[in-house]
């Protein structure tokens, strides 16, 4: 356990940030799962809607610093390419 006041505060901040990051990563995984399910079902309409939701979640995660910007861009591109294959 930390002894300094600033170290105690840093621990509290890290705990809050960790919880927030876990929530964001879970949202990203859920959106990706729904995107993949739409692609596997070869449903272009559902895939387009899932791609919009997935892109939004990725952008928000990148903005919050949970994932890097280029990672979000790469994942959006791969998802769009997958959708393009079934359309």
């Amino acid at each position: 356990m930390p002894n300094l006041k600033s170290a105690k505060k840093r621990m509290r901040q890290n705990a809050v940030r960790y919880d927030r990051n876990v929530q964001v990563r879970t949202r990203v995984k859920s959106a990706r799962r729904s995107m993949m399910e739409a692609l596997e079902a070869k449903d272009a309409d559902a895939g387009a809607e899932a791609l919009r939701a997935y892109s939004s979640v990725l952008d928000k995660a990148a903005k919050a610093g949970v994932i890097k910007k280029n990672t979000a861009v790469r994942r959006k591109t791969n998802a769009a390419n997958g959708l393009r294959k079934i359309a």
Side-chain angles (χ1 to χ4, degrees):
M1 287 300 296
N3 294 321
L4 297 177
K5 185 177 180 182
S6 60
K8 291 177 186 176
K9 180 178 179 180
R10 178 60 63 192
M11 276 190 61
R12 288 194 309 269
Q13 289 174 330
N14 287 340
V16 169
R17 289 184 180 129
Y18 175 80
D19 291 339
R20 189 179 310 131
N21 290 344
V22 167
Q23 290 174 354
V24 172
R25 281 195 299 266
T26 302
R27 271 189 227 117
V28 169
K29 288 177 186 178
S30 297
R32 180 180 186 275
R33 194 174 306 115
S34 64
M35 176 73 195
M36 296 307 288
E37 288 171 358
L39 292 180
E40 288 173 4
K42 299 199 184 306
D43 186 0
D45 294 333
E49 184 61 35
L51 177 62
R52 279 192 289 274
Y54 186 43
S55 296
S56 176
V57 169
L58 285 172
D59 287 337
K60 289 177 184 176
K63 183 178 178 183
V66 177
I67 61 174
K68 293 185 177 181
K69 184 179 77 166
N70 286 344
T71 301
V73 170
R74 185 182 68 245
R75 290 181 182 178
K76 288 192 299 184
T77 301
N78 290 339
N81 287 340
L83 181 62
R84 194 172 298 118
K85 287 179 183 177
I86 65 168

